[in-house]
Amino acid sequence: MFKENEQQPEGFSVALGEALDNLALNDAGLIPVIAQQHDTGEVLMFAWMNREAIEETLRTGRVCYYSRSRGTLWRKGESSGQVQTLRELRVDCDGDVLLARVDQTGPACHTGRRDCFYWKLDGDRATIDKTPLIDPAELYKKDTPK
Amino acid sequence: MFKENEQQPEGFSVALGEALDNLALNDAGLIPVIAQQHDTGEVLMFAWMNREAIEETLRTGRVCYYSRSRGTLWRKGESSGQVQTLRELRVDCDGDVLLARVDQTGPACHTGRRDCFYWKLDGDRATIDKTPLIDPAELYKKDTPK
C-alpha cells in the first residue's frame, strides 16, 4: 500500500485501518518508533510499538510503546510521571518506521537526561555531553505505578 | 559499557574504538540510524549501518549506510547526488541506536520528498501531506554512479 501510493499527490488518503494493516511489522509484530519533541525538534528516544500500542496511542493521545524487555505495553511515564502527549503520528515511505511528534514532560531518558542521545562520537573519543535534568533515583522512587 | 557509565557526568569519555566495540549490533551486524537535519531538526529518514559504514562515515564526513536490500555499503547520494554531510554522530543510552545529525542536500527520500515521513495518521485517515521537491525520475536518471 505504501509503496504503490508513493507517487500520489499531497492530500491523497486511505482509511486508517488500511494503513495500519499494511505496516511492515517485524517478526515480533513490532515497528520502530522515533519520538521527537514537536516544537524544538529534539530527537528524544527510540522505542517500539505493536498494533495495540499504536491504536491506544491514537485513541488516547498519550504515547504507549511496547516494552521488549517486559513483554507488555509501556505507557510512557506510567512509573516516572514523564509522559508524552501525542501531537502527530507519521509513517515513512516504506511503512516500516513511525515518527511520533510529541510533547515530552521533563526527561525522556531513563537516566534523567532530556533525551537518550547523550554520547557524541568525535575524533577518537566517545563523550557524554548532556547532564540529567533529574536524578534518576528521583524519577523512579515511587513504586506504585501511576 | 554504555549501561555501566550512564551516570557519569558531562565530559566523561572513552576511546572511540571501545564505544564502537560495545555497540549493540543486531544479529546481522547492523544498528538503526536516525538521520536528522542538523539545523532545522527535521527527521529525514531511518536506515542502518554496520561497523564498516560507521567507520567510513566518521572518517570521510559523508554519510554511508548499509543497504539491507542490496547487501552492500550505501553511500547516500551516490546515485541520486543527494548526499548527506555529517555534522555529528551520536549514540543512545543503550548503545543500540545512532543519531546522525547531517546536512542533507535536497531530498532525503527516494520519492523526491525532503523526508520519508510524509504519511500522517489523523483521526480515521492516513494522508500524504508532503510534495516531492524533485521528480524521482529526475533523481535517478543517471545510470553512471557518482
Side-chain angles (χ1 to χ4, degrees):
Chain A
M1 195 289 287
F2 292 100
K3 188 73 186 166
E4 66 243 33
N5 287 312
E6 68 181 27
Q7 297 199 39
Q8 296 286 357
E10 198 174 328
F12 174 83
S13 72
V14 301
L16 179 62
E18 184 185 349
L20 298 185
D21 288 346
N22 282 280
L23 290 176
L25 306 179
N26 70 11
D27 292 344
L30 303 178
I31 187 168
V33 186
I34 302 162
Q36 180 182 36
Q37 175 66 26
H38 73 101
D39 48 2
T40 62
E42 297 161 280
V43 175
L44 297 167
M45 55 179 282
F46 175 88
W48 298 82
M49 289 184 184
N50 62 5
R51 172 78 177 245
E52 191 181 353
I54 296 169
E55 291 180 334
E56 176 172 319
T57 297
L58 288 169
R59 189 174 66 248
T60 65
R62 282 270 297 269
V63 180
C64 175
Y65 297 103
Y66 182 85
S67 167
R68 294 181 303 167
S69 57
R70 295 197 300 260
T72 58
L73 293 183
W74 161 37
R75 294 171 185 91
K76 176 68 180 163
E78 65 190 345
S79 56
S80 68
Q82 312 301 313
V83 300
Q84 290 181 348
T85 303
L86 186 71
R87 292 305 184 100
E88 59 179 35
L89 191 60
R90 294 184 163 276
V91 185
D92 79 334
C93 50
D94 298 323
D96 63 359
V97 184
L98 300 178
L99 173 62
R101 292 175 55 89
V102 306
D103 194 11
Q104 168 73 54
T105 302
C109 184
H110 75 284
T111 64
R113 295 178 179 88
R114 174 68 173 168
D115 70 76
C116 296
F117 297 92
Y118 55 81
W119 285 95
K120 185 174 174 181
L121 305 182
D122 220 10
D124 60 353
R125 307 294 294 173
T127 305
I128 292 178
D129 69 354
K130 298 182 185 182
T131 297
L133 306 177
I134 301 178
D135 180 340
E138 289 294 307
L139 270 183
Y140 299 101
K141 69 181 175 185
K142 300 183 183 84
D143 48 10
T144 47
K146 289 185 184 180
Chain B
M1 195 291 287
F2 292 100
K3 188 73 185 165
E4 66 243 33
N5 287 311
E6 68 182 25
Q7 297 199 38
Q8 296 287 356
E10 199 174 327
F12 175 82
S13 73
V14 301
L16 180 62
E18 185 186 349
L20 298 185
D21 288 346
N22 281 280
L23 291 176
L25 306 180
N26 70 12
D27 292 345
L30 304 178
I31 186 168
V33 187
I34 302 162
Q36 179 182 38
Q37 175 65 26
H38 73 101
D39 47 3
T40 62
E42 297 160 280
V43 175
L44 297 168
M45 54 180 282
F46 175 88
W48 299 82
M49 288 185 183
N50 62 5
R51 172 76 178 247
E52 191 182 352
I54 297 169
E55 291 181 334
E56 176 173 318
T57 296
L58 288 170
R59 189 175 65 247
T60 66
R62 282 270 297 269
V63 180
C64 175
Y65 297 104
Y66 182 85
S67 167
R68 293 181 304 167
S69 57
R70 296 197 301 261
T72 58
L73 292 182
W74 161 37
R75 294 170 184 93
K76 176 70 180 161
E78 65 190 343
S79 57
S80 67
Q82 311 301 314
V83 299
Q84 290 180 348
T85 303
L86 186 71
R87 292 305 184 99
E88 58 179 35
L89 192 60
R90 295 184 163 274
V91 185
D92 79 334
C93 49
D94 297 324
D96 63 0
V97 184
L98 300 179
L99 173 63
R101 292 176 54 88
V102 306
D103 194 11
Q104 168 73 53
T105 301
C109 184
H110 76 284
T111 65
R113 294 178 180 86
R114 174 68 173 169
D115 70 76
C116 297
F117 297 92
Y118 56 81
W119 286 95
K120 185 174 173 181
L121 305 182
D122 220 9
D124 59 354
R125 306 294 295 173
T127 305
I128 292 179
D129 69 353
K130 299 183 185 181
T131 297
L133 305 178
I134 300 178
D135 180 340
E138 289 294 306
L139 270 182
Y140 299 101
K141 69 181 176 185
K142 300 184 184 84
D143 49 10
T144 48
K146 291 185 183 179

